[in-house]
Coordinates of all heavy atoms in Angstrom, one line a residue:
M1063 N 17.9 -67.3 127.8 CA 19.0 -66.5 128.4 C 19.2 -66.9 129.8 O 20.2 -66.4 130.4 CB 18.7 -65.0 128.2 CG 18.7 -64.5 126.8 SD 20.3 -64.1 126.2 CE 19.9 -63.3 124.7
G1064 N 18.3 -67.6 130.4 CA 18.4 -68.0 131.8 C 17.9 -67.0 132.7 O 17.2 -66.0 132.3
D1065 N 18.2 -67.1 134.0 CA 17.7 -66.1 135.0 C 18.6 -64.9 135.0 O 19.8 -65.0 135.1 CB 17.7 -66.7 136.4 CG 16.7 -67.8 136.6 OD1 15.7 -67.8 135.8 OD2 16.9 -68.7 137.4
V1066 N 18.0 -63.7 134.8 CA 18.8 -62.5 134.7 C 18.0 -61.5 135.7 O 16.8 -61.3 135.5 CB 18.9 -61.9 133.3 CG1 19.7 -60.6 133.3 CG2 19.5 -63.0 132.4
L1067 N 18.8 -60.9 136.6 CA 18.1 -59.9 137.5 C 18.0 -58.6 136.8 O 18.7 -58.2 135.9 CB 19.1 -59.7 138.7 CG 19.3 -61.0 139.6 CD1 20.4 -60.8 140.6 CD2 18.0 -61.5 140.2
V1068 N 16.9 -57.8 137.3 CA 16.7 -56.5 136.8 C 18.0 -55.6 137.0 O 18.6 -55.7 138.1 CB 15.5 -55.8 137.6 CG1 15.4 -54.3 137.2 CG2 14.3 -56.5 137.4
G1069 N 18.4 -54.9 136.0 CA 19.6 -54.1 136.0 C 20.9 -54.8 135.6 O 21.9 -54.3 135.4
E1070 N 20.8 -56.2 135.4 CA 21.9 -57.0 134.8 C 21.6 -57.3 133.3 O 20.5 -57.0 132.9 CB 22.1 -58.2 135.6 CG 22.5 -57.9 137.0 CD 22.9 -59.2 137.8 OE1 22.7 -60.3 137.3 OE2 23.3 -59.1 139.0
A1071 N 22.5 -57.9 132.7 CA 22.3 -58.2 131.3 C 22.9 -59.6 131.0 O 23.8 -60.0 131.7 CB 23.0 -57.2 130.4
A1072 N 22.4 -60.2 129.9 CA 22.9 -61.5 129.4 C 23.0 -61.3 128.0 O 22.2 -60.6 127.3 CB 22.0 -62.6 129.8
A1073 N 24.0 -62.0 127.3 CA 24.1 -61.9 125.9 C 24.5 -63.2 125.3 O 25.1 -64.1 125.9 CB 25.2 -60.9 125.5
R1074 N 24.0 -63.4 124.1 CA 24.4 -64.6 123.3 C 24.7 -64.1 121.9 O 24.3 -63.1 121.4 CB 23.2 -65.6 123.2 CG 22.7 -66.1 124.5 CD 23.6 -67.1 125.1 NE 23.1 -67.7 126.3 CZ 23.2 -67.3 127.5 NH1 23.9 -66.2 127.8 NH2 22.7 -67.9 128.6
T1075 N 25.6 -64.9 121.3 CA 25.9 -64.5 119.9 C 25.4 -65.6 118.9 O 25.3 -66.8 119.2 CB 27.4 -64.3 119.7 OG1 28.1 -65.6 120.0 CG2 27.9 -63.2 120.5
L1076 N 25.1 -65.1 117.7 CA 24.8 -66.0 116.6 C 25.6 -65.6 115.4 O 26.0 -64.5 115.3 CB 23.3 -66.0 116.3 CG 22.7 -64.7 115.9 CD1 22.5 -64.7 114.4 CD2 21.3 -64.7 116.6
T1077 N 25.9 -66.6 114.5 CA 26.8 -66.3 113.3 C 25.9 -66.2 112.1 O 25.1 -67.1 111.9 CB 27.8 -67.4 113.2 OG1 28.6 -67.4 114.4 CG2 28.7 -67.1 112.0
V1078 N 26.1 -65.1 111.4 CA 25.4 -65.0 110.1 C 26.5 -65.2 109.0 O 27.5 -64.5 109.0 CB 24.8 -63.6 109.9 CG1 24.1 -63.5 108.5 CG2 23.7 -63.3 111.0
T1079 N 26.2 -66.1 108.1 CA 27.2 -66.5 107.1 C 26.5 -66.4 105.7 O 25.4 -66.9 105.5 CB 27.8 -67.9 107.3 OG1 28.3 -68.0 108.6 CG2 28.8 -68.3 106.2
N1080 N 27.2 -65.8 104.8 CA 26.7 -65.6 103.4 C 27.2 -66.8 102.6 O 28.4 -66.9 102.3 CB 27.2 -64.3 102.7 CG 26.7 -64.2 101.3 OD1 25.9 -65.0 100.9 ND2 27.2 -63.2 100.6
V1081 N 26.3 -67.8 102.2 CA 26.7 -68.9 101.4 C 26.3 -68.7 99.9 O 26.5 -69.7 99.2 CB 26.0 -70.2 101.9 CG1 26.6 -70.5 103.4 CG2 24.5 -70.1 102.0
C1082 N 25.9 -67.5 99.6 CA 25.5 -67.2 98.2 C 26.7 -66.8 97.4 O 27.7 -66.3 98.0 CB 24.5 -66.1 98.2 SG 22.9 -66.4 99.1
P1083 N 26.6 -66.9 96.1 CA 27.8 -66.4 95.3 C 27.8 -65.0 95.1 O 28.6 -64.5 94.2 CB 27.6 -67.2 94.0 CG 26.2 -67.4 93.9 CD 25.6 -67.5 95.3
F1084 N 27.1 -64.1 95.7 CA 27.0 -62.7 95.6 C 26.9 -62.0 96.9 O 26.5 -62.6 97.9 CB 25.8 -62.3 94.6 CG 24.5 -63.0 95.0 CD1 23.7 -62.4 96.0 CD2 24.1 -64.2 94.4 CE1 22.6 -63.0 96.4 CE2 22.9 -64.7 94.8 CZ 22.1 -64.2 95.8
P1085 N 27.2 -60.7 97.0 CA 27.0 -60.0 98.3 C 25.6 -60.1 98.8 O 24.6 -60.1 98.0 CB 27.3 -58.6 98.0 CG 28.2 -58.7 96.7 CD 27.7 -59.9 95.9
L1086 N 25.4 -60.2 100.1 CA 24.1 -60.4 100.7 C 23.9 -59.4 101.8 O 24.7 -59.2 102.8 CB 24.0 -61.8 101.4 CG 22.8 -62.1 102.2 CD1 21.6 -62.2 101.2 CD2 22.9 -63.4 103.0
S1087 N 22.9 -58.5 101.6 CA 22.5 -57.5 102.7 C 21.5 -58.1 103.5 O 20.6 -58.8 103.1 CB 22.0 -56.3 102.0 OG 23.0 -55.6 101.3
F1088 N 21.5 -57.9 104.9 CA 20.5 -58.4 105.8 C 20.2 -57.3 106.8 O 21.0 -56.3 107.0 CB 21.1 -59.6 106.5 CG 22.2 -59.3 107.5 CD1 21.9 -59.0 108.8 CD2 23.5 -59.3 107.1 CE1 22.9 -58.7 109.7 CE2 24.6 -59.0 108.0 CZ 24.3 -58.7 109.3
T1089 N 19.0 -57.4 107.3 CA 18.6 -56.6 108.4 C 17.9 -57.5 109.5 O 17.3 -58.5 109.1 CB 17.6 -55.5 108.0 OG1 16.4 -56.0 107.4 CG2 18.2 -54.5 107.0
M1090 N 18.0 -57.1 110.7 CA 17.4 -57.8 111.8 C 16.6 -56.8 112.7 O 17.1 -55.7 112.9 CB 18.4 -58.5 112.7 CG 19.2 -59.6 112.0 SD 20.3 -60.4 113.1 CE 21.1 -61.5 112.0
R1091 N 15.5 -57.3 113.2 CA 14.8 -56.4 114.1 C 14.0 -57.3 115.1 O 13.6 -58.5 114.7 CB 13.9 -55.5 113.4 CG 12.6 -56.0 112.8 CD 11.7 -54.9 112.3 NE 10.4 -55.4 112.0 CZ 9.4 -55.4 112.9 NH1 9.5 -54.9 114.0 NH2 8.2 -55.9 112.5
L1092 N 13.8 -56.8 116.2 CA 13.0 -57.5 117.2 C 11.6 -57.0 117.1 O 11.3 -55.8 117.0 CB 13.5 -57.2 118.6 CG 14.9 -57.9 118.8 CD1 15.8 -57.2 119.8 CD2 14.7 -59.3 119.2
A1093 N 10.6 -57.9 117.2 CA 9.2 -57.6 116.9 C 8.6 -56.8 118.1 O 7.6 -56.1 117.9 CB 8.4 -59.0 116.8
G1094 N 9.2 -56.9 119.3 CA 8.7 -56.1 120.4 C 7.4 -56.6 120.9 O 6.5 -55.9 121.1
K1095 N 7.3 -58.0 121.1 CA 6.1 -58.6 121.5 C 5.7 -58.0 122.9 O 6.5 -57.8 123.8 CB 6.2 -60.1 121.7 CG 6.4 -60.7 120.4 CD 6.5 -62.2 120.5 CE 5.2 -62.8 120.9 NZ 5.1 -64.2 120.8
A1096 N 4.4 -57.7 123.0 CA 3.8 -57.3 124.3 C 2.4 -57.8 124.4 O 1.8 -58.2 123.4 CB 3.8 -55.7 124.3
S1097 N 1.9 -57.8 125.6 CA 0.5 -58.2 125.8 C -0.2 -57.1 126.7 O 0.4 -56.3 127.3 CB 0.5 -59.5 126.5 OG 0.9 -59.4 127.8
A1098 N -1.5 -57.3 126.8 CA -2.3 -56.4 127.6 C -1.9 -56.4 129.1 O -2.0 -55.4 129.8 CB -3.8 -56.7 127.5
A1099 N -1.4 -57.5 129.5 CA -0.9 -57.7 130.9 C 0.5 -57.2 131.1 O 1.0 -57.3 132.2 CB -1.1 -59.1 131.3
D1100 N 1.2 -56.7 130.1 CA 2.6 -56.4 130.1 C 2.7 -55.1 130.9 O 2.1 -54.0 130.5 CB 3.1 -56.1 128.7 CG 4.6 -56.0 128.6 OD1 5.2 -55.9 129.7 OD2 5.1 -56.0 127.6
P1101 N 3.5 -55.1 132.0 CA 3.7 -53.9 132.8 C 4.8 -53.0 132.2 O 5.7 -52.6 132.9 CB 4.1 -54.5 134.2 CG 4.8 -55.7 133.8 CD 4.1 -56.3 132.6
N1102 N 4.7 -52.8 131.0 CA 5.7 -52.0 130.2 C 5.1 -50.9 129.4 O 5.1 -51.0 128.2 CB 6.5 -53.0 129.4 CG 7.7 -52.3 128.6 OD1 8.1 -51.3 129.0 ND2 8.2 -53.0 127.6
P1103 N 4.5 -49.9 130.1 CA 3.7 -48.9 129.3 C 4.6 -48.1 128.4 O 4.2 -47.5 127.4 CB 3.1 -48.1 130.4 CG 3.9 -48.2 131.6 CD 4.5 -49.7 131.5
T1104 N 5.9 -48.0 128.7 CA 6.8 -47.2 127.8 C 7.4 -48.0 126.7 O 8.1 -47.5 125.8 CB 8.0 -46.7 128.6 OG1 8.7 -47.7 129.2 CG2 7.5 -45.7 129.8
M1105 N 7.0 -49.3 126.6 CA 7.4 -50.2 125.6 C 9.0 -50.3 125.4 O 9.5 -50.3 124.3 CB 6.8 -49.8 124.2 CG 5.3 -50.0 124.1 SD 4.9 -51.8 124.6 CE 5.6 -52.7 123.3
R1106 N 9.6 -50.3 126.6 CA 11.1 -50.5 126.5 C 11.4 -51.8 126.0 O 10.7 -52.8 126.4 CB 11.7 -50.2 127.9 CG 11.6 -48.8 128.3 CD 12.2 -48.6 129.7 NE 11.3 -49.2 130.7 CZ 11.7 -49.5 131.9 NH1 12.8 -49.2 132.4 NH2 10.8 -50.0 132.8
Q1107 N 12.4 -52.0 125.3 CA 12.8 -53.3 124.7 C 13.7 -54.0 125.7 O 14.7 -53.4 126.2 CB 13.6 -53.2 123.4 CG 12.7 -52.6 122.3 CD 11.7 -53.7 121.8 OE1 11.8 -54.9 122.0 NE2 10.7 -53.3 121.0
A1108 N 13.4 -55.2 126.1 CA 14.3 -56.0 127.0 C 15.4 -56.7 126.2 O 16.4 -57.0 126.7 CB 13.5 -57.1 127.7
F1109 N 15.2 -56.9 124.9 CA 16.1 -57.5 124.0 C 16.6 -56.5 123.0 O 16.0 -55.6 122.6 CB 15.5 -58.7 123.2 CG 15.0 -59.8 124.1 CD1 13.8 -59.9 124.6 CD2 15.9 -60.8 124.4 CE1 13.4 -60.9 125.4 CE2 15.5 -61.9 125.2 CZ 14.3 -61.9 125.7
S1110 N 17.9 -56.7 122.6 CA 18.5 -55.9 121.5 C 19.5 -56.8 120.7 O 19.9 -57.8 121.2 CB 19.2 -54.7 122.1 OG 20.3 -55.1 122.9
C1111 N 19.8 -56.4 119.5 CA 20.8 -57.1 118.7 C 21.7 -56.1 118.0 O 21.3 -55.0 117.6 CB 20.1 -58.0 117.7 SG 19.2 -57.3 116.4
H1112 N 22.9 -56.5 117.9 CA 23.9 -55.6 117.2 C 25.0 -56.5 116.5 O 25.5 -57.4 117.1 CB 24.6 -54.7 118.3 CG 25.6 -53.8 117.6 ND1 25.2 -52.6 117.0 CD2 26.9 -53.8 117.6 CE1 26.3 -52.0 116.6 NE2 27.3 -52.7 116.9
P1113 N 25.3 -56.2 115.3 CA 24.8 -55.2 114.4 C 23.4 -55.6 113.9 O 23.1 -56.8 113.8 CB 25.7 -55.2 113.2 CG 26.3 -56.5 113.1 CD 26.4 -57.0 114.6
A1114 N 22.5 -54.7 113.7 CA 21.2 -55.0 113.2 C 21.0 -55.1 111.7 O 20.0 -55.4 111.2 CB 20.2 -54.0 113.8
E1115 N 22.1 -54.7 111.0 CA 22.1 -54.8 109.6 C 23.6 -54.9 109.1 O 24.5 -54.6 109.8 CB 21.4 -53.6 109.0 CG 22.1 -52.2 109.3 CD 21.3 -51.1 108.8 OE1 20.1 -51.1 108.9 OE2 22.0 -50.2 108.3
G1116 N 23.7 -55.3 107.8 CA 25.1 -55.4 107.3 C 25.0 -56.0 105.8 O 24.0 -56.4 105.4
T1117 N 26.1 -56.0 105.2 CA 26.3 -56.6 103.9 C 27.5 -57.5 104.0 O 28.6 -57.1 104.5 CB 26.5 -55.6 102.8 OG1 25.4 -54.7 102.8 CG2 26.7 -56.3 101.5
L1118 N 27.4 -58.8 103.6 CA 28.4 -59.8 103.7 C 28.8 -60.2 102.3 O 27.9 -60.5 101.4 CB 28.0 -61.0 104.5 CG 27.5 -60.8 105.9 CD1 26.9 -62.1 106.5 CD2 28.7 -60.3 106.7
A1119 N 30.1 -60.3 102.0 CA 30.6 -60.8 100.7 C 30.4 -62.3 100.7 O 30.2 -62.9 101.8 CB 32.1 -60.4 100.6
Q1120 N 30.6 -62.9 99.6 CA 30.5 -64.4 99.5 C 31.5 -65.0 100.5 O 32.6 -64.7 100.6 CB 30.9 -64.8 98.0 CG 30.9 -66.3 97.8 CD 31.4 -66.7 96.5 OE1 31.8 -65.9 95.7 NE2 31.2 -68.0 96.2
G1121 N 31.0 -66.0 101.3 CA 31.7 -66.7 102.2 C 32.0 -66.0 103.6 O 32.6 -66.5 104.4
E1122 N 31.7 -64.7 103.6 CA 32.0 -63.9 104.8 C 30.9 -64.2 105.9 O 29.8 -64.5 105.6 CB 31.9 -62.4 104.4 CG 32.4 -61.5 105.5 CD 32.5 -60.0 105.1 OE1 31.8 -59.7 104.1 OE2 33.2 -59.3 105.8
S1123 N 31.3 -64.1 107.1 CA 30.5 -64.2 108.3 C 30.6 -63.1 109.2 O 31.6 -62.3 109.2 CB 30.9 -65.5 109.1 OG 30.7 -66.7 108.3
C1124 N 29.6 -62.9 110.1 CA 29.7 -61.9 111.1 C 29.0 -62.4 112.4 O 28.0 -63.2 112.2 CB 29.2 -60.5 110.7 SG 27.4 -60.3 110.7
E1125 N 29.4 -62.0 113.5 CA 28.8 -62.3 114.8 C 27.8 -61.3 115.1 O 28.0 -60.1 115.1 CB 29.8 -62.4 115.9 CG 30.9 -63.5 115.7 CD 30.3 -64.9 115.9 OE1 29.6 -65.1 116.8 OE2 30.7 -65.8 115.1
V1126 N 26.6 -61.7 115.5 CA 25.5 -60.8 116.0 C 25.3 -61.1 117.4 O 25.1 -62.3 117.8 CB 24.2 -61.1 115.2 CG1 23.1 -60.2 115.7 CG2 24.5 -60.7 113.7
A1127 N 25.4 -60.1 118.2 CA 25.1 -60.2 119.7 C 23.7 -59.9 120.0 O 23.2 -58.9 119.6 CB 26.0 -59.3 120.5
V1128 N 23.0 -60.8 120.6 CA 21.6 -60.6 121.1 C 21.8 -60.4 122.7 O 22.2 -61.3 123.3 CB 20.7 -61.7 120.8 CG1 19.3 -61.5 121.3 CG2 20.6 -61.9 119.2
S1129 N 21.3 -59.3 123.1 CA 21.4 -59.0 124.6 C 20.0 -58.9 125.2 O 19.0 -58.5 124.6 CB 22.1 -57.6 124.8 OG 23.4 -57.6 124.2
F1130 N 20.0 -59.3 126.5 CA 18.7 -59.3 127.3 C 19.0 -58.5 128.5 O 19.9 -58.8 129.3 CB 18.3 -60.7 127.6 CG 17.1 -60.8 128.6 CD1 15.9 -60.2 128.3 CD2 17.3 -61.4 129.8 CE1 14.8 -60.3 129.2 CE2 16.3 -61.5 130.7 CZ 15.0 -60.9 130.4
T1131 N 18.3 -57.4 128.7 CA 18.4 -56.5 129.9 C 17.0 -56.3 130.4 O 16.2 -55.5 129.9 CB 19.0 -55.2 129.6 OG1 20.3 -55.5 128.9 CG2 19.3 -54.4 130.9
P1132 N 16.6 -57.1 131.4 CA 15.2 -56.9 131.9 C 15.0 -55.6 132.6 O 15.9 -55.1 133.3 CB 15.0 -58.1 132.9 CG 16.4 -58.5 133.3 CD 17.3 -58.2 132.2
F1133 N 13.8 -55.0 132.5 CA 13.5 -53.7 133.0 C 12.5 -53.9 134.2 O 12.2 -52.9 134.9 CB 12.9 -52.8 132.0 CG 11.7 -53.5 131.2 CD1 10.5 -53.6 131.7 CD2 12.0 -54.0 130.0 CE1 9.5 -54.3 131.0 CE2 11.0 -54.7 129.3 CZ 9.8 -54.8 129.8
S1134 N 12.0 -55.1 134.4 CA 11.1 -55.4 135.6 C 11.2 -56.8 135.9 O 11.7 -57.6 135.1 CB 9.7 -55.0 135.2 OG 9.1 -55.8 134.2
Q1135 N 10.7 -57.2 137.1 CA 10.7 -58.6 137.5 C 9.5 -59.3 137.0 O 8.4 -58.8 137.2 CB 10.7 -58.7 139.0 CG 10.9 -60.2 139.5 CD 11.0 -60.2 141.0 OE1 11.3 -59.2 141.6 NE2 10.7 -61.3 141.6
R1136 N 9.7 -60.4 136.2 CA 8.6 -61.1 135.6 C 9.0 -62.6 135.4 O 10.2 -62.9 135.4 CB 8.3 -60.6 134.2 CG 7.8 -59.2 134.3 CD 7.4 -58.5 132.9 NE 7.1 -59.2 131.8 CZ 7.1 -58.7 130.6 NH1 7.5 -57.5 130.4 NH2 6.8 -59.5 129.6
P1137 N 8.0 -63.4 135.4 CA 8.4 -64.9 135.2 C 9.2 -65.2 133.9 O 10.0 -66.0 133.9 CB 7.0 -65.6 135.2 CG 6.0 -64.7 135.7 CD 6.6 -63.2 135.5
Y1138 N 8.8 -64.4 132.8 CA 9.5 -64.7 131.6 C 9.3 -63.5 130.7 O 8.4 -62.7 130.8 CB 9.0 -65.9 130.9 CG 7.6 -65.8 130.3 CD1 7.4 -65.4 129.0 CD2 6.5 -66.2 131.1 CE1 6.2 -65.3 128.5 CE2 5.2 -66.1 130.6 CZ 5.1 -65.7 129.3 OH 3.8 -65.5 128.8
F1139 N 10.2 -63.3 129.8 CA 10.1 -62.3 128.7 C 10.2 -63.1 127.4 O 10.9 -64.2 127.3 CB 11.3 -61.4 128.8 CG 11.3 -60.3 129.8 CD1 11.6 -60.7 131.1 CD2 10.9 -59.0 129.5 CE1 11.6 -59.7 132.1 CE2 10.8 -58.1 130.5 CZ 11.2 -58.4 131.8
E1140 N 9.7 -62.6 126.3 CA 9.8 -63.2 125.0 C 9.8 -62.1 124.0 O 9.3 -61.0 124.1 CB 8.6 -64.2 124.8 CG 7.3 -63.6 124.6 CD 6.2 -64.6 124.3 OE1 6.4 -65.4 123.5 OE2 5.2 -64.5 125.0
D1141 N 10.4 -62.5 122.8 CA 10.4 -61.6 121.7 C 10.8 -62.5 120.5 O 11.2 -63.7 120.6 CB 11.4 -60.5 121.8 CG 11.0 -59.2 121.0 OD1 10.3 -59.3 120.0 OD2 11.5 -58.1 121.5
V1142 N 10.6 -61.9 119.3 CA 10.9 -62.7 118.1 C 11.9 -61.8 117.3 O 11.7 -60.7 117.0 CB 9.6 -62.9 117.2 CG1 10.0 -63.5 115.9 CG2 8.6 -63.7 118.0
L1143 N 13.0 -62.5 116.9 CA 14.1 -61.8 116.1 C 13.7 -62.1 114.6 O 13.6 -63.3 114.2 CB 15.4 -62.4 116.4 CG 16.6 -61.8 115.5 CD1 16.7 -60.3 115.8 CD2 17.8 -62.6 115.9
Q1144 N 13.4 -61.1 113.9 CA 13.1 -61.2 112.4 C 14.3 -60.8 111.6 O 14.9 -59.8 111.8 CB 11.9 -60.3 112.1 CG 10.6 -60.6 112.9 CD 9.6 -59.6 112.6 OE1 9.8 -58.4 112.4 NE2 8.3 -60.0 112.7
V1145 N 14.6 -61.7 110.7 CA 15.8 -61.5 109.8 C 15.2 -61.3 108.4 O 14.4 -62.2 107.9 CB 16.7 -62.7 109.9 CG1 17.9 -62.5 108.9 CG2 17.2 -63.0 111.3
R1146 N 15.7 -60.3 107.7 CA 15.3 -60.1 106.3 C 16.6 -60.1 105.5 O 17.5 -59.4 105.7 CB 14.6 -58.7 106.2 CG 14.2 -58.4 104.7 CD 13.3 -57.2 104.7 NE 12.0 -57.4 105.1 CZ 11.0 -58.0 104.4 NH1 11.3 -58.4 103.1 NH2 9.8 -58.2 104.8
A1147 N 16.5 -60.9 104.4 CA 17.6 -61.0 103.4 C 17.0 -61.4 102.1 O 16.0 -62.1 102.0 CB 18.6 -62.0 103.8
C1148 N 17.5 -60.9 101.0 CA 17.1 -61.2 99.6 C 15.6 -60.9 99.5 O 14.9 -61.6 98.8 CB 17.4 -62.7 99.3 SG 19.1 -63.1 99.3
G1149 N 15.1 -59.9 100.2 CA 13.7 -59.5 100.0 C 12.7 -60.4 100.8 O 11.5 -60.3 100.6
R1150 N 13.2 -61.3 101.6 CA 12.4 -62.3 102.3 C 12.7 -62.1 103.8 O 13.7 -61.8 104.2 CB 12.7 -63.7 101.9 CG 12.4 -64.0 100.4 CD 12.6 -65.4 100.1 NE 11.7 -66.3 100.8 CZ 11.8 -67.6 100.8 NH1 12.8 -68.2 100.2 NH2 10.9 -68.3 101.5
A1151 N 11.6 -62.4 104.6 CA 11.8 -62.3 106.0 C 11.6 -63.7 106.7 O 10.7 -64.5 106.2 CB 10.7 -61.3 106.6
W1152 N 12.3 -63.9 107.8 CA 12.2 -65.1 108.5 C 12.2 -64.8 110.0 O 12.8 -63.8 110.4 CB 13.4 -66.0 108.3 CG 13.6 -66.6 107.0 CD1 12.9 -67.7 106.4 CD2 14.3 -66.0 105.9 NE1 13.3 -67.8 105.1 CE2 14.1 -66.8 104.8 CE3 15.1 -64.9 105.8 CZ2 14.7 -66.5 103.5 CZ3 15.7 -64.6 104.6 CH2 15.5 -65.4 103.5
S1153 N 11.4 -65.5 110.8 CA 11.3 -65.3 112.2 C 11.9 -66.5 112.9 O 11.8 -67.6 112.5 CB 9.9 -65.0 112.7 OG 9.4 -63.8 112.1

């Protein structure tokens, strides 16, 4: 996401497309990675995604916005976006 100051936000979009011949339901969630050195005792999420779930008809697509809003000054933030569809999960 590049350099983002505390209190500001950055966003990127990704496209989810159903290439299956039947409706496809999906859910997305952020793993909320943290470490013992993480100065985030309230476990606030720096990343978010919207929509986090949906159902797409055959050939339908939707844009998912992933936003980053840092809550403290750090050299880097990281997280893993997990996508679940057809009963399987991908990170």
Side-chain angles (χ1 to χ4, degrees):
M1063 298 271 187
D1065 294 333
V1066 181
L1067 299 174
V1068 173
E1070 294 186 357
R1074 301 287 186 270
T1075 59
L1076 59 99
T1077 303
V1078 177
T1079 302
N1080 180 9
V1081 297
C1082 300
F1084 49 83
L1086 177 69
S1087 294
F1088 68 91
T1089 58
M1090 297 184 182
R1091 75 176 193 90
L1092 292 153
K1095 293 182 71 170
S1097 69
D1100 189 351
N1102 184 15
T1104 60
M1105 292 305 297
R1106 289 181 290 169
Q1107 294 285 346
F1109 295 92
S1110 63
C1111 66
H1112 182 77
E1115 60 184 43
T1117 300
L1118 301 173
Q1120 177 184 8
E1122 188 176 21
S1123 296
C1124 77
E1125 297 289 318
V1126 175
V1128 179
S1129 300
F1130 171 60
T1131 308
F1133 48 80
S1134 65
Q1135 184 175 341
R1136 297 180 22 197
Y1138 70 92
F1139 285 80
E1140 66 179 316
D1141 210 332
V1142 175
L1143 179 63
Q1144 298 173 331
V1145 180
R1146 178 172 287 279
C1148 298
R1150 298 182 64 190
W1152 296 273
S1153 295

